[in-house]
Amino acid sequence: MAIDFKHEQSAHCENGVASNLLHFYGIKLSEPMIFGIGSGLFFSHMPFVKVNNIPVTSFRPLPGVIFRRAARRLGFSVKRKKFRSPDKGMAALDGLLQKDIPVGMLVGVYHLSYFPAPYRFHFNAHNLVVFGKENGNYKISDPVMDDYASLTEAELKKVRFAKGLFAPKGHMYWADKIPTNPDFKKAIIKGIHHTAKDMLGIPVPMFGVKGIRFMAKKVRNYPTKLGKRKASQFLGQIVRAQEEIGTGGAGFRFMYAAFLQEAAEILELDWLNDTAEEMTQIGDLWRSFAVATARIVKDRSQVEDAYNQAADILLVIADREEQVYKDLKKIKK
Amino acid sequence: MKKQEVPQDDANMLEGKFTEPCYAVDEEGKYIKVGSVGWEPKNVIMQQAWDAVHERVEEIREQVEANELSPIAYYMEKQLMDLSVLSGYTGFFRWTVKRHLKMKNFIKLNDKKLEKYADAFEISIETLKKKELL
């Protein structure tokens, strides 16, 4: 059995799954549209929360949030289920597939056999869609792949019940009530407002535009406070969070700009195209920050000055992003 | 980023399995998706993270060979696990796993317990018993 499920590759797994699932139900929205409506753009830098003794920087809200918001704003209802017993989890999946329902799920990346080795670590919030089962193999639409994939029953079970931080526990989700005519305009405006509010209004220095400035200050102090080796590891981790699969700093700015372009057309607001252009330039600045960082990591000479330069780029980014969100906030309800 | 600026710096990080879609603007300033095989700064940063892993694995190998740490410590590090991940896969408490990382406790483990570790690492129990470091 297999459902006629159209797979389109995407830059980010959660948007991709949402976009592909919604498309299956007749609502064609691009990945950037899901990203914008679900308010996927975010920033936080938390020096007190550490993974492998390195502070956590994140360019996105918590896993699952983008899809949940997008679905709510478009009028979908989404059912979710987790399991204690792997066998029951697999049986429940088979039950849904028998009813021709494509199923989204959270999985661990480490044991995904089709993933390239350098990307396989114990990250447990990767999203994919299972849309069929043939001769004991499951048909998989993994949004990062350019084509369909497949997993054996044992392989799928293993990744669904991966262990560690955010263990997915067989977490699966599927669309339940499907809207006939969602109000895109309203959903887009809600999404934009939410992003502007998140990036400007959280009264804690670690989040949003303030968080970028906060991080700039920390980066400036890295070499004197941490020593060369640790400083370059801390800085490297920021760019890893920025550029690796499932996160995305610069990439997210470009995706958001793509969203603003589409939104300009739907809302018939020409000035959003200018905002998109500004966002593109901000994305390029994030990329310059990555270039500066890579230079430091590669060759650890003239350290202090280089860290200052990287921090300066962050401050320019913070100023320009602040203006963008202030403009976006003014969009009429 | 313009579409012709989408980086194609291949360091085989993706092993030819797919290309990563990037959003970039075309000649008219409209956004399109362009596949990328890699980007130099990103390759450098990823290599840095992997170098740190390999360095730690080598340090632990030496400690296992000196009979301080157990092969469990080696395979845990090699497979990028931490105490909570390994505790999840084996069903042992974290503090139990922590005990088993020491060689003097490891050599007292029975087959049933070793089997759980071997399963978690997807290696044979003989490999563990012989303290082979693959």
Side-chain angles (χ1 to χ4, degrees), chain B residues 8-34:
Chain B
Q8 306 294 349
D9 309 331
D10 198 359
N12 205 30
M13 290 286 179
L14 293 161
E15 300 177 334
K17 291 188 169 161
F18 55 88
T19 57
E20 280 183 335
C22 295
Y23 287 87
V25 291
D26 65 11
E27 291 81 7
E28 274 102 57
K30 279 265 167 217
Y31 266 94
I32 49 165
K33 264 195 295 190
V34 184

mmCIF file of all heavy atoms in Angstrom, chain B residues 8-34:
data_model
loop_
_atom_site.group_PDB
_atom_site.id
_atom_site.type_symbol
_atom_site.label_atom_id
_atom_site.label_comp_id
_atom_site.label_asym_id
_atom_site.label_seq_id
_atom_site.Cartn_x
_atom_site.Cartn_y
_atom_site.Cartn_z
ATOM 1 N N GLN B 8 29.471 26.218 -3.730
ATOM 2 C CA GLN B 8 29.611 24.818 -4.160
ATOM 3 C C GLN B 8 30.986 24.339 -3.732
ATOM 4 O O GLN B 8 31.790 23.894 -4.522
ATOM 5 C CB GLN B 8 29.436 24.710 -5.690
ATOM 6 C CG GLN B 8 28.159 25.313 -6.241
ATOM 7 C CD GLN B 8 26.892 24.591 -5.786
ATOM 8 O OE1 GLN B 8 26.930 23.510 -5.205
ATOM 9 N NE2 GLN B 8 25.731 25.204 -6.018
ATOM 10 N N ASP B 9 31.285 24.434 -2.435
ATOM 11 C CA ASP B 9 32.591 24.026 -1.917
ATOM 12 C C ASP B 9 32.463 22.609 -1.367
ATOM 13 O O ASP B 9 32.087 22.418 -0.217
ATOM 14 C CB ASP B 9 33.058 24.971 -0.798
ATOM 15 C CG ASP B 9 32.986 26.431 -1.213
ATOM 16 O OD1 ASP B 9 33.123 26.689 -2.428
ATOM 17 O OD2 ASP B 9 32.795 27.304 -0.348
ATOM 18 N N ASP B 10 32.789 21.648 -2.186
ATOM 19 C CA ASP B 10 32.562 20.258 -1.785
ATOM 20 C C ASP B 10 33.697 19.749 -0.900
ATOM 21 O O ASP B 10 34.854 19.750 -1.302
ATOM 22 C CB ASP B 10 32.427 19.375 -3.028
ATOM 23 C CG ASP B 10 31.773 18.052 -2.697
ATOM 24 O OD1 ASP B 10 31.446 17.824 -1.516
ATOM 25 O OD2 ASP B 10 31.578 17.252 -3.620
ATOM 26 N N ALA B 11 33.350 19.349 0.324
ATOM 27 C CA ALA B 11 34.323 18.691 1.203
ATOM 28 C C ALA B 11 33.799 17.303 1.543
ATOM 29 O O ALA B 11 34.161 16.715 2.561
ATOM 30 C CB ALA B 11 34.559 19.514 2.462
ATOM 31 N N ASN B 12 32.915 16.801 0.705
ATOM 32 C CA ASN B 12 32.303 15.483 0.865
ATOM 33 C C ASN B 12 31.547 15.305 2.184
ATOM 34 O O ASN B 12 31.422 14.201 2.689
ATOM 35 C CB ASN B 12 33.359 14.379 0.716
ATOM 36 C CG ASN B 12 32.710 13.069 0.265
ATOM 37 O OD1 ASN B 12 31.689 13.093 -0.427
ATOM 38 N ND2 ASN B 12 33.262 11.948 0.686
ATOM 39 N N MET B 13 31.065 16.398 2.754
ATOM 40 C CA MET B 13 30.299 16.306 3.992
ATOM 41 C C MET B 13 28.962 15.610 3.736
ATOM 42 O O MET B 13 28.419 14.959 4.601
ATOM 43 C CB MET B 13 30.039 17.697 4.568
ATOM 44 C CG MET B 13 31.271 18.371 5.119
ATOM 45 S SD MET B 13 31.775 17.633 6.681
ATOM 46 C CE MET B 13 33.246 18.589 7.054
ATOM 47 N N LEU B 14 28.420 15.786 2.543
ATOM 48 C CA LEU B 14 27.118 15.205 2.225
ATOM 49 C C LEU B 14 27.270 13.852 1.536
ATOM 50 O O LEU B 14 26.274 13.187 1.229
ATOM 51 C CB LEU B 14 26.317 16.159 1.335
ATOM 52 C CG LEU B 14 25.904 17.467 2.020
ATOM 53 C CD1 LEU B 14 25.530 18.532 0.994
ATOM 54 C CD2 LEU B 14 24.735 17.233 2.960
ATOM 55 N N GLU B 15 28.500 13.450 1.290
ATOM 56 C CA GLU B 15 28.815 12.154 0.687
ATOM 57 C C GLU B 15 28.042 11.905 -0.608
ATOM 58 O O GLU B 15 27.717 10.763 -0.941
ATOM 59 C CB GLU B 15 28.541 11.026 1.692
ATOM 60 C CG GLU B 15 29.386 11.159 2.950
ATOM 61 C CD GLU B 15 29.089 10.114 4.002
ATOM 62 O OE1 GLU B 15 27.957 9.597 4.006
ATOM 63 O OE2 GLU B 15 29.975 9.822 4.813
ATOM 64 N N GLY B 16 27.726 12.958 -1.314
ATOM 65 C CA GLY B 16 27.008 12.826 -2.580
ATOM 66 C C GLY B 16 25.580 12.325 -2.440
ATOM 67 O O GLY B 16 24.956 11.942 -3.422
ATOM 68 N N LYS B 17 25.054 12.304 -1.195
ATOM 69 C CA LYS B 17 23.725 11.727 -0.991
ATOM 70 C C LYS B 17 22.596 12.672 -1.366
ATOM 71 O O LYS B 17 21.526 12.247 -1.730
ATOM 72 C CB LYS B 17 23.573 11.261 0.458
ATOM 73 C CG LYS B 17 24.461 10.049 0.719
ATOM 74 C CD LYS B 17 24.221 9.426 2.057
ATOM 75 C CE LYS B 17 24.953 8.082 2.126
ATOM 76 N NZ LYS B 17 25.164 7.602 3.458
ATOM 77 N N PHE B 18 22.818 13.950 -1.218
ATOM 78 C CA PHE B 18 21.863 14.945 -1.692
ATOM 79 C C PHE B 18 22.555 16.305 -1.726
ATOM 80 O O PHE B 18 23.695 16.417 -1.291
ATOM 81 C CB PHE B 18 20.601 15.009 -0.805
ATOM 82 C CG PHE B 18 20.861 15.245 0.664
ATOM 83 C CD1 PHE B 18 20.964 16.538 1.164
ATOM 84 C CD2 PHE B 18 20.993 14.180 1.554
ATOM 85 C CE1 PHE B 18 21.185 16.753 2.516
ATOM 86 C CE2 PHE B 18 21.214 14.392 2.913
ATOM 87 C CZ PHE B 18 21.315 15.686 3.392
ATOM 88 N N THR B 19 21.878 17.300 -2.277
ATOM 89 C CA THR B 19 22.411 18.654 -2.166
ATOM 90 C C THR B 19 21.462 19.440 -1.276
ATOM 91 O O THR B 19 20.279 19.131 -1.193
ATOM 92 C CB THR B 19 22.492 19.351 -3.537
ATOM 93 O OG1 THR B 19 21.186 19.341 -4.119
ATOM 94 C CG2 THR B 19 23.459 18.655 -4.465
ATOM 95 N N GLU B 20 21.999 20.423 -0.594
ATOM 96 C CA GLU B 20 21.173 21.204 0.320
ATOM 97 C C GLU B 20 20.539 22.382 -0.402
ATOM 98 O O GLU B 20 21.238 23.191 -1.003
ATOM 99 C CB GLU B 20 22.037 21.727 1.476
ATOM 100 C CG GLU B 20 22.271 20.676 2.515
ATOM 101 C CD GLU B 20 23.056 21.204 3.696
ATOM 102 O OE1 GLU B 20 23.808 22.176 3.550
ATOM 103 O OE2 GLU B 20 22.901 20.631 4.768
ATOM 104 N N PRO B 21 19.218 22.481 -0.323
ATOM 105 C CA PRO B 21 18.562 23.602 -0.995
ATOM 106 C C PRO B 21 18.853 24.914 -0.244
ATOM 107 O O PRO B 21 18.795 24.954 0.970
ATOM 108 C CB PRO B 21 17.070 23.278 -0.874
ATOM 109 C CG PRO B 21 16.981 21.922 -0.274
ATOM 110 C CD PRO B 21 18.276 21.618 0.384
ATOM 111 N N CYS B 22 19.203 25.946 -1.023
ATOM 112 C CA CYS B 22 19.398 27.271 -0.430
ATOM 113 C C CYS B 22 18.442 28.231 -1.122
ATOM 114 O O CYS B 22 18.192 28.097 -2.323
ATOM 115 C CB CYS B 22 20.815 27.780 -0.693
ATOM 116 S SG CYS B 22 22.066 26.812 0.105
ATOM 117 N N TYR B 23 17.923 29.177 -0.385
ATOM 118 C CA TYR B 23 17.094 30.210 -1.006
ATOM 119 C C TYR B 23 17.988 31.358 -1.441
ATOM 120 O O TYR B 23 18.766 31.892 -0.661
ATOM 121 C CB TYR B 23 16.018 30.683 -0.027
ATOM 122 C CG TYR B 23 14.934 29.630 0.133
ATOM 123 C CD1 TYR B 23 15.061 28.605 1.067
ATOM 124 C CD2 TYR B 23 13.821 29.629 -0.706
ATOM 125 C CE1 TYR B 23 14.096 27.614 1.176
ATOM 126 C CE2 TYR B 23 12.849 28.638 -0.599
ATOM 127 C CZ TYR B 23 12.995 27.643 0.340
ATOM 128 O OH TYR B 23 12.040 26.660 0.440
ATOM 129 N N ALA B 24 17.898 31.693 -2.733
ATOM 130 C CA ALA B 24 18.750 32.741 -3.294
ATOM 131 C C ALA B 24 17.954 33.502 -4.348
ATOM 132 O O ALA B 24 16.948 33.003 -4.850
ATOM 133 C CB ALA B 24 19.996 32.115 -3.917
ATOM 134 N N VAL B 25 18.408 34.717 -4.668
ATOM 135 C CA VAL B 25 17.639 35.524 -5.623
ATOM 136 C C VAL B 25 18.192 35.399 -7.040
ATOM 137 O O VAL B 25 19.395 35.285 -7.256
ATOM 138 C CB VAL B 25 17.598 37.018 -5.213
ATOM 139 C CG1 VAL B 25 16.767 37.209 -3.963
ATOM 140 C CG2 VAL B 25 18.996 37.573 -4.995
ATOM 141 N N ASP B 26 17.283 35.408 -8.008
ATOM 142 C CA ASP B 26 17.682 35.351 -9.416
ATOM 143 C C ASP B 26 17.909 36.762 -9.965
ATOM 144 O O ASP B 26 17.925 37.727 -9.206
ATOM 145 C CB ASP B 26 16.642 34.574 -10.233
ATOM 146 C CG ASP B 26 15.282 35.279 -10.275
ATOM 147 O OD1 ASP B 26 15.206 36.457 -9.847
ATOM 148 O OD2 ASP B 26 14.297 34.653 -10.714
ATOM 149 N N GLU B 27 18.064 36.874 -11.305
ATOM 150 C CA GLU B 27 18.405 38.179 -11.901
ATOM 151 C C GLU B 27 17.344 39.237 -11.600
ATOM 152 O O GLU B 27 17.641 40.421 -11.484
ATOM 153 C CB GLU B 27 18.572 38.058 -13.426
ATOM 154 C CG GLU B 27 19.799 37.273 -13.876
ATOM 155 C CD GLU B 27 19.566 35.768 -13.829
ATOM 156 O OE1 GLU B 27 18.418 35.337 -13.568
ATOM 157 O OE2 GLU B 27 20.539 35.015 -14.032
ATOM 158 N N GLU B 28 16.086 38.800 -11.494
ATOM 159 C CA GLU B 28 15.011 39.784 -11.232
ATOM 160 C C GLU B 28 14.817 40.054 -9.740
ATOM 161 O O GLU B 28 13.878 40.757 -9.347
ATOM 162 C CB GLU B 28 13.683 39.291 -11.816
ATOM 163 C CG GLU B 28 13.501 39.651 -13.281
ATOM 164 C CD GLU B 28 13.770 38.451 -14.166
ATOM 165 O OE1 GLU B 28 13.108 37.418 -13.973
ATOM 166 O OE2 GLU B 28 14.664 38.549 -15.021
ATOM 167 N N GLY B 29 15.666 39.451 -8.896
ATOM 168 C CA GLY B 29 15.516 39.664 -7.461
ATOM 169 C C GLY B 29 14.485 38.758 -6.816
ATOM 170 O O GLY B 29 14.131 38.932 -5.658
ATOM 171 N N LYS B 30 13.988 37.779 -7.596
ATOM 172 C CA LYS B 30 12.978 36.849 -7.063
ATOM 173 C C LYS B 30 13.668 35.639 -6.433
ATOM 174 O O LYS B 30 14.668 35.135 -6.955
ATOM 175 C CB LYS B 30 12.078 36.342 -8.201
ATOM 176 C CG LYS B 30 10.992 37.317 -8.563
ATOM 177 C CD LYS B 30 9.706 36.974 -7.811
ATOM 178 C CE LYS B 30 8.695 38.114 -7.916
ATOM 179 N NZ LYS B 30 7.913 38.348 -6.728
ATOM 180 N N TYR B 31 13.092 35.157 -5.331
ATOM 181 C CA TYR B 31 13.686 34.017 -4.656
ATOM 182 C C TYR B 31 13.410 32.693 -5.358
ATOM 183 O O TYR B 31 12.296 32.421 -5.793
ATOM 184 C CB TYR B 31 13.190 33.936 -3.210
ATOM 185 C CG TYR B 31 14.142 34.635 -2.275
ATOM 186 C CD1 TYR B 31 13.965 35.964 -1.914
ATOM 187 C CD2 TYR B 31 15.264 33.966 -1.790
ATOM 188 C CE1 TYR B 31 14.864 36.608 -1.078
ATOM 189 C CE2 TYR B 31 16.168 34.601 -0.954
ATOM 190 C CZ TYR B 31 15.970 35.910 -0.601
ATOM 191 O OH TYR B 31 16.869 36.539 0.214
ATOM 192 N N ILE B 32 14.475 31.882 -5.476
ATOM 193 C CA ILE B 32 14.347 30.527 -5.991
ATOM 194 C C ILE B 32 15.186 29.599 -5.100
ATOM 195 O O ILE B 32 15.951 30.078 -4.268
ATOM 196 C CB ILE B 32 14.848 30.413 -7.447
ATOM 197 C CG1 ILE B 32 16.234 31.072 -7.568
ATOM 198 C CG2 ILE B 32 13.888 31.054 -8.433
ATOM 199 C CD1 ILE B 32 16.954 30.711 -8.831
ATOM 200 N N LYS B 33 15.020 28.293 -5.297
ATOM 201 C CA LYS B 33 15.819 27.326 -4.541
ATOM 202 C C LYS B 33 16.975 26.837 -5.401
ATOM 203 O O LYS B 33 16.779 26.461 -6.548
ATOM 204 C CB LYS B 33 14.949 26.114 -4.153
ATOM 205 C CG LYS B 33 14.363 26.215 -2.762
ATOM 206 C CD LYS B 33 13.818 24.881 -2.267
ATOM 207 C CE LYS B 33 12.644 24.376 -3.050
ATOM 208 N NZ LYS B 33 11.981 23.216 -2.423
ATOM 209 N N VAL B 34 18.174 26.831 -4.828
ATOM 210 C CA VAL B 34 19.349 26.340 -5.543
ATOM 211 C C VAL B 34 20.071 25.334 -4.640
ATOM 212 O O VAL B 34 20.268 25.599 -3.461
ATOM 213 C CB VAL B 34 20.320 27.502 -5.885
ATOM 214 C CG1 VAL B 34 21.492 26.998 -6.724
ATOM 215 C CG2 VAL B 34 19.597 28.631 -6.598
#
